[in-house]
Every structure is written in structure tokens, then in C-alpha cells.
Amino acid sequence: MIDGGTIHLKTDSNFLFTYTKYMVEHNSLPVEEMTTDLYHDSQLLTQNSPLLNIRTYYEQMWLDRGLSIKYVKFQLPREGALEEPDVEIELDDYRSYHRPKRSGLEVAK
């Protein structure tokens, strides 16, 4: 990814979304869009963006399980390195079907 590139993150994972949100805030990255429930955010959906209107098989699987799809669009810095915030984030309490259980960790840094 080039400096100043745009990241589009769509995820069902609270952990990944929260981590990304902390990274964006800690590094003062420009955020263009952010929502915790993409398919019920009428403001974003009315923009008629092809990217936001794609609902993947996996997104539908998580939606059917009652999870929301989160979305954030932000830009990388034009120079320098990103710094990771010193925060504890709760791990997701669900997993994909037929995947083994995670380690005994309750939180991750």
C-alpha cells in the first residue's frame, strides 16, 4: 500500500474493528466513514457505492447469526510509521463453524 492510500475495512469482528479504531485514533489518521452496523446505516447505503453494496457469503452467514458488519474507511499517513496504542481489547466470543477453540486468553493487546 502506498503512503496516503485508502483502507476499506468491512468486518464482523468486534476485536478487529475496535483495534482498527484505536489505531486510527492513536495515529490521527483521517477517517472518511465509520459505522458499527453497515447494513442498517441508511446514510452510507444511500451513497450507492459498489463496494458497500457487496454482501459476501461470509457477511450473510454472520448476519444470519445476529452479528452486525462494521465498516471503516480511512487513509494511511503520507510518511512515517504507525504507532500501536497500548490498550487491552476483548477477544470476540464466537468463532467460525468447525474451527477449533482459541487459546485460554481472555484479552489481547
Side-chain angles (χ1 to χ4, degrees):
M1 178 66 70
I2 62 170
D3 288 346
T6 300
I7 303 290
H8 296 264
L9 173 69
K10 285 172 62 177
T11 183
D12 61 280
S13 171
N14 286 320
F15 175 84
L16 179 58
F17 182 77
T18 303
Y19 174 79
T20 304
K21 184 177 168 186
Y22 280 128
M23 283 291 291
V24 165
E25 290 170 358
H26 185 75
N27 290 281
S28 301
L29 302 177
V31 175
E32 294 181 35
E33 305 286 351
M34 184 181 293
T35 183
T36 58
D37 195 350
L38 177 61
Y39 295 116
H40 290 100
D41 189 323
S42 58
Q43 183 179 1
L44 282 177
L45 292 177
T46 57
Q47 293 178 11
N48 205 17
S49 165
L51 177 67
L52 297 182
N53 289 321
I54 296 171
R55 189 178 296 196
T56 69
Y57 168 83
Y58 292 99
E59 287 176 329
Q60 190 60 54
M61 180 177 68
W62 297 121
L63 290 166
D64 290 345
R65 290 174 71 180
L67 299 172
S68 63
I69 303 301
K70 296 118 187 90
Y71 173 73
V72 60
K73 178 181 177 184
F74 63 96
Q75 291 185 342
L76 292 175
R78 298 225 175 258
E79 57 186 40
L82 295 175
E83 293 182 17
E84 191 169 8
D86 187 19
V87 295
E88 297 291 324
I89 303 170
E90 185 176 340
L91 293 174
D92 293 327
D93 61 355
Y94 63 93
R95 60 184 192 272
S96 298
Y97 295 113
H98 309 296
R99 289 189 61 193
K101 188 175 180 178
R102 300 176 195 206
S103 69
L105 294 175
E106 294 299 319
V107 294
K109 189 174 184 183

